[in-house]
Amino acid sequence: MTVVLSNSTHLMASEGKEFDIEDDATLGTDIKEKMAKQRQLLNARLGLDVAAKLGFDTSSFFSNDDLMASNEKQESTSNNSPVVKKNLREVISCTKEGLSSREMNRAKRKARQAVNKQRSRETADENGGEEPERKKTKTEFKEEYAIQFDVEAGDAGDWPLEWFCDQLSQDLFSSCWETRHGAATALREVLTVHGSGAGKATYLSESQMEENHQIWLEDMSIRLLCVLALDRFGDFVSDAVVAPVRETCAQALCGVLKLMNSPSCNHVLRILLQLLDHQEWETRHGGLLGLKYLLAVREDMIDSFLPQSFPFILKGLSDAVDDVSAVAASALIPIAKKLTELVPGSIPQVVNKLWDLLSEQDELTAACNSFMGLLAAILNLPDVQTLLPPQPLNEVVPRLWPFLSHSTSSVRKATLQTLCTLTEKPRDGTCIQWDAQLLQDAMRHVFQRVLVEPNPEGRNVSEKVWNNLVMNSGLVELLHAACPFITVWLFLSMQPVKVPFDPNFLIHTKSQRRKNNADGLQSFNHTVVPPKLYIGGSETTPIAVRDINAVQVRCMTARMLGLLSCYIVKPAPGMDYSAGVEKPIDCYEKVILAHINSKSALQRMMTGLVIAEWAKRETEIKAENIILTALKDSSTAYTPALTSTCTFDEIAHSFTRLAQETRDFVATLKHYKVPIPAENDSVFTLQHIQQLTGTETQQMILKFKMRMKLQDDLEERRRSIHSSVLQTSNEQLMLSVSSLAALSGAIVMFRALPEKLTPVVKPLMESIRRESDENLQKITAEHLAILLDQCRQRNPCPNEKILANLCTFLRCDPEFTPVIHKGQPNHSTNNIDAAVTKFGNYNGIVTLNNQQRNAERAAFKRSNSTGRGRGRPPTTDIPLEELFKEEDDTQRINGIQRRGATLTLIAITKAFWRRPAE
């Protein structure tokens, strides 16, 4: 390997000949013309000609001296005649001291092939060009046949893929990176599937086959190691730099290492460790890649490999090149569990090193993914806390803040997992000891991450971190941290989907970047405008994804704030509330009532969800009776909101525009003296507007004598207003269903049911019947199951009626539940009627009908979407209107009812499965 590194040329992206000028007689020998031609070629290759058209000055990027540098270097090299590096293929061929029997047999076969080729060429030359084309073709066929026959005769009993792998091993040393990458990829797949037969032959004994097999594997591993050491090609994928050739060669080496014996693996390990001491970072990068796969694939030898390689990996973590240190960290992630067994004394050193790297790294660096992943993997080990000294949270936790907003989801998740481990309850059962300011920053960061995180896995980990922060912190620190921001968090959870968050309510942190000493970079402005943040994602997140995430985020924030509500209403330790000081629960109740009495459906819904989670947590935590009594007393203020009707703020803009259009329409009707069927009130409501633009007004316009153009204009305005009022009314209804169901669920969870259950039960049943979002429907189903439990002893008991309605909802969808008609057979004498009403064993089977419809639909699309032409019979018995009909509103409503009933019955079963008799 030392000889190869010192005498071989590097394997670059290409030979560079594509940038050289081909000899052209029209250019002559004028250097200026050649330089102009080469500059034009380089501008086209690098895309600088497009930049020049956009107004950028590209003349200073490279000069004529840069273009002449290669020629001058060649001349100086020929004059001074220093040691010239050779091609890697030549160096390896020179380093071979002898040939094995397998290689000698291969050489003999190649020699015979060359002799046959030469004889064939001589025969063709003697015949000359007078031979007809037919005979030439026949001669060439004989040559190919002779060569093929000779190869098959010489290779009889050998591994069938040996010749193919030999060609691939030669392509590994190609100067073109695509060829190297393709050869490594093919070798990786061949070795994975057929590697066990490499180098073996049927005419050898078992010991000879195993010896040849190991020799073949050693030869292939040396070639792959040479590519790892000399490859210099890098590429960009998203915001990370990748080395596809080195990565693929390391994976192919992984397939070789699986089949190698222990002594050969030790030799490979020594060569890889030798590469880690090389001066060029690409060689160290390739060595760490091979070491990563070696440690991952040979778990049976990890006990001897890890102690030898761990000092080199630890040194790689401190490498000045981020790509090298990132691979060093990723090499330890798969074997993190073995660190506590084999090198337990070095774990504190690794953890401290990772913390230092995170403090030095830019939050946009791609290496952060490996650093944070390794830190999370080590800290999540079960016994690692006994090996680590107490972590100074005030110092290490702030280093995680910049990575919570990293562009890569894996970095954000690993950061949250690390924070989740650091916030676990101490082993001695005490609370986490940290400052109130640090706890406040942690809660703000985690809550903000839940609001804007588009990845569900990241949000789930964030909720766990929030639970640790709330339950494992001291009450005094928690009150100082949470009380100033509880209203802000409640307000942020009510953010509309299409409105971005105000940056003033969010927390932003930047890491301290390392100083770059490269020339020309000190004055570069690294300031990047952050993207706008919405609930459920940033502006780069698709709107459809944000809409789906929004309700999930609201439900999760309701659980988080409900848990926090159980603690912030507790009296502060050492505080005397007898001297007229307002109690915490009274202060919090005012905040809650302000949102409940609001005209915003979103505020009412979120408040109801938070109250329901609060009441649910109080029974689990077993709070004091005073708090429970206060909750039940305050719930009487929530009941009037169930019966109040108002126009919500979410549709205020649409309603104002609609009312103005209706007012203008009524004025136009009065101007032309068209009688108005309804009373003309000065204040419009949705019902009044719908009545004014209904069928009665349509009939009045059609019956009234006026010009045809004026009549059409009035009818068009009426139709437009009527369509808008129906849409606005539907939005008002859905907002009312969501908000009232949340408030009803809060009353149910408080166990403070009023005497009349209709105001509480009706919103819950409407949510089961109409709520389009499955998450809110699932919450309503749980609340309805708890309501049935609370009403068991009531007289009269509404449970039977509720269950009957649920069963009706469950079988309302004819696409899912067949409609069975109980009737007598038709005894009509009409043959046509008898054929239509014919009874059979397969009529009415919904699954069979749906399968037939899907099969007919697929067959029709495959045949011809435009039809079969005039006069030809149809390809299906089902009418096309029935075959390709879209889901109408009735089917959608039936599907929502069936889903809501299913979720409710599941919740009831979970609640009562231990008490079937009830």
Side-chain angles (χ1 to χ4, degrees), residues 608-628:
L609 294 177
V610 171
I611 294 172
E613 294 294 334
W614 178 18
K616 179 181 178 181
R617 298 278 186 172
E618 283 291 353
T619 57
E620 295 177 358
I621 299 178
K622 298 180 181 180
E624 298 179 1
N625 295 329
I626 300 177
I627 297 179
L628 290 177

Side-chain angles (χ1 to χ4, degrees), residues 806-827:
L806 290 176
C807 294
T808 303
F809 294 163
L810 186 63
R811 61 175 183 264
C812 69
D813 189 2
E815 296 292 332
F816 189 82
T817 304
V819 179
I820 301 175
H821 300 282
K822 296 181 179 180
Q824 298 296 329
N826 192 356
H827 300 286

Side-chain angles (χ1 to χ4, degrees), residues 751 783-793 799 911-912 915 918:
R751 297 183 178 273
H783 293 164
L784 192 58
I786 296 176
L787 175 66
L788 294 178
D789 187 19
Q790 297 178 9
C791 295
R792 287 183 296 110
Q793 305 299 332
N799 292 358
F912 289 92
R915 300 171 293 176
E918 299 178 4

